[in-house]
Amino acid sequence: MDVQKDIRPTADDVISLLKTNLDCTVSHVEELKAYEDRNFYLKIVESEQNQCDYIGNVTEFVVKMTNCEEMSELKWKSLQKILNCLLLNGFTCTKLLTSFKMEKNGKEYLVLLLNYIPGSPLMYHWSKLNKTTVIKQVGEMVADLHNTLQTLDPSLLDVEMNKEDAWVLENARVMLGYLIAIKDENEREIIESIIKQFINLMEQNEEHFTRGLVHGDLHDMNLIVNWKDGQLQPHYNASGNYTVKDLFGIIDFGDMCVSCYIYEVGQIIRDLMVSTCPDNCYSVAVTFLSGYLKCRKLNQHELSILFLSIMTALCQYYVISEYKFHGQSDNEYVKEGAKEACQLIKAFHSMSDIFMSNLSKFLQSEFNIDLIQST
């Protein structure tokens, strides 16, 4: 596969765009890690902060530049309605301030000016935190998020899901067409087997899975945190009375879609495994579930597909990275997790029975749930 030159918009393009459209001067700009989009943190000169109503007294922002073929302005307007509902329910999350369009190298980009949530991604802080405590807190927060999203009408997201988007787990079949990028025959056979098992179980049981709006990209780079003395600190709340959802700022809702909640649970556990404990798939899963199941139920069918959801989500990391991102040779972020995912796939793909047996014991012991495995 040929390596292609990165032709996406640059920091200089951002500075010029804001000067033209908002008449403000950028005093600092810093690129943020991203897969296909280009994201920037920026600060404007304080004396120019009141140039327009949607900026007000704010001087720090995030600019997201995304290909219009991947993200429409209509979807972001739909997303804003959903984000407003989350804000009203006490979540700290992205707010869209305004948007522009620009053209670069023959492609049209949607440029989003977003609020800046103080802090930094959870990914950078695992070594300083009690992993077990934080993974459980993530589980509680995600359950609260899913509960809130489930109350919203899915039609609020006024766009159809892209059936060719391989990052949506229920589109796992798309990955079968990507396997040509996996050169090792043994790896390719293992991955193909996992994906086909998942598709088979999904098709047998999907009518029993709860569907609704999901974030679509909820991992530790999209959870903004503050910490002190080894513990997460709440956003915007100094009273001492706070809940778990106050600990996390949620960003990057661009992949929001309507899907099954158990698939997102599998993807989140995948990310936590890769980031925190790649040698123990089971411990990460049960720690997350110990928080999640306190706040939200998963039925027998959903729990029975959990292992394959996690394994297929690991396949996403490795297969999509190998197939799609060869053109971003200078973007190490697109490769993060892919090597670890491949190692986890080879280490755990044959451990379904052990995982499900241990999961069954955990569910019975902690939540009095008798797991009946789907076949």
Side-chain angles (χ1 to χ4, degrees):
M1 293 183 179
D2 296 331
V3 175
Q4 302 170 3
K5 183 180 179 182
D6 191 343
I7 59 173
R8 297 173 299 163
T10 65
D12 288 340
D13 295 319
V14 173
I15 293 170
S16 175
L17 186 74
L18 292 180
K19 185 64 177 177
T20 300
N21 288 275
L22 300 181
D23 194 26
C24 60
T25 303
V26 175
S27 59
H28 178 75
V29 62
E30 178 182 337
E31 183 160 9
L32 305 173
K33 290 185 176 183
Y35 277 95
E36 294 173 283
D37 297 335
R38 199 147 218 172
N39 301 330
F40 299 91
Y41 161 81
L42 60 92
K43 192 169 186 177
I44 64 171
V45 176
E46 282 196 43
S47 62
E48 299 177 354
Q49 63 191 2
N50 293 307
Q51 294 290 329
C52 49
D53 293 338
Y54 38 79
I55 288 184
N57 294 320
V58 179
T59 59
E60 296 176 283
F61 307 92
V62 171
V63 169
K64 177 183 244 349
M65 310 184 90
T66 184
N67 192 326
C68 284
E69 294 176 2
E70 303 291 334
M71 172 65 68
S72 68
E73 198 166 7
L74 175 62
K75 181 172 182 179
W76 261 101
K77 288 179 179 178
S78 300
L79 281 174
Q80 192 56 49
K81 297 175 185 176
I82 297 167
L83 296 177
N84 287 339
C85 292
L86 293 179
L87 291 165
L88 288 172
N89 278 277
F91 289 92
T92 300
C93 59
T94 299
K95 287 184 269 187
L96 175 62
L97 303 176
T98 190
S99 62
F100 314 100
K101 285 187 178 179
M102 69 167 290
E103 187 174 310
K104 179 75 181 283
N105 295 316
K107 288 190 175 182
E108 190 173 38
Y109 291 86
L110 180 63
V111 182
L112 306 166
L113 188 66
L114 307 168
N115 65 313
Y116 169 70
I117 299 175
S120 54
L122 174 60
M123 176 184 277
Y124 301 142
H125 302 296
W126 286 113
S127 63
K128 314 175 193 91
L129 299 167
N130 183 309
K131 293 178 183 177
T132 299
T133 298
V134 176
I135 291 172
K136 185 175 180 179
Q137 289 172 329
V138 171
E140 289 185 48
M141 182 276 295
V142 171
D144 197 355
L145 178 66
H146 284 174
N147 285 334
T148 302
L149 289 173
Q150 194 179 348
T151 66
L152 303 180
D153 184 350
S155 67
L156 282 172
L157 192 63
D158 192 20
V159 289
E160 293 185 8
M161 184 175 71
N162 180 4
K163 297 293 186 180
E164 297 302 313
D165 184 357
W167 285 116
V168 178
L169 207 58
E170 63 189 76
N171 296 339
R173 190 179 300 277
V174 175
M175 279 193 288
L176 294 175
Y178 292 177
L179 293 181
I180 190 174
I182 307 301
K183 302 306 181 185
D184 185 285
E185 184 176 354
N186 183 53
E187 289 178 2
R188 190 166 60 249
E189 288 178 356
I190 291 171
I191 292 169
E192 183 176 11
S193 174
I194 291 168
I195 295 171
K196 288 182 174 179
Q197 288 180 67
F198 174 76
I199 291 170
N200 182 52
L201 196 55
M202 175 180 69
E203 290 177 345
Q204 291 179 29
N205 295 282
E206 197 164 37
E207 64 184 78
H208 302 292
F209 301 159
T210 306
R211 292 179 67 83
L213 293 164
V214 298
H215 180 282
D217 195 22
L218 195 55
H219 52 76
D220 55 4
M221 277 298 291
N222 287 336
L223 294 175
I224 306 301
V225 300
N226 295 286
W227 69 280
K228 182 180 180 182
D229 299 328
Q231 293 186 327
L232 297 183
Q233 302 298 308
H235 288 273
Y236 312 120
N237 192 330
S239 67
N241 298 316
Y242 60 88
T243 64
V244 166
K245 66 184 175 185
D246 295 314
L247 301 176
F248 303 95
I250 310 172
I251 64 171
D252 207 354
F253 286 79
D255 291 317
M256 178 168 272
C257 63
V258 177
S259 188
C260 299
Y261 291 105
I262 187 60
Y263 301 158
E264 180 151 83
V265 167
Q267 290 174 310
I268 294 169
I269 292 173
R270 165 204 65 193
D271 288 300
L272 292 170
M273 286 169 53
V274 169
S275 293
T276 67
C277 195
D279 59 341
N280 197 329
C281 170
Y282 170 72
S283 69
V284 174
V286 296
T287 303
F288 176 88
L289 289 175
S290 66
Y292 190 94
L293 292 174
K294 276 177 55 179
C295 309
R296 179 180 173 82
K297 291 182 180 180
L298 292 171
N299 65 41
Q300 296 275 352
H301 297 279
E302 291 169 327
L303 291 165
S304 294
I305 202 173
L306 178 62
F307 178 77
L308 276 173
S309 295
I310 296 168
M311 295 305 298
T312 307
L314 286 166
C315 292
Q316 286 179 312
Y317 257 1
Y318 184 47
V319 174
I320 297 174
S321 175
E322 290 296 300
Y323 183 80
K324 292 191 72 174
F325 296 121
H326 61 281
Q328 293 186 36
S329 59
D330 62 340
N331 187 349
E332 289 299 317
Y333 182 52
V334 303
K335 299 178 182 178
E336 286 187 6
K339 180 181 178 181
E340 292 84 352
C342 181
Q343 292 171 345
L344 286 164
I345 291 165
K346 289 190 282 190
F348 292 107
H349 75 277
S350 61
M351 297 181 64
S352 174
D353 290 343
I354 296 173
F355 179 93
M356 296 306 294
S357 175
N358 288 334
L359 179 62
S360 181
K361 293 173 185 176
F362 161 75
L363 293 171
Q364 175 59 47
S365 172
E366 298 297 321
F367 295 97
N368 198 28
I369 296 174
D370 292 315
L371 179 61
I372 303 172
Q373 295 190 38
S374 301
T375 57

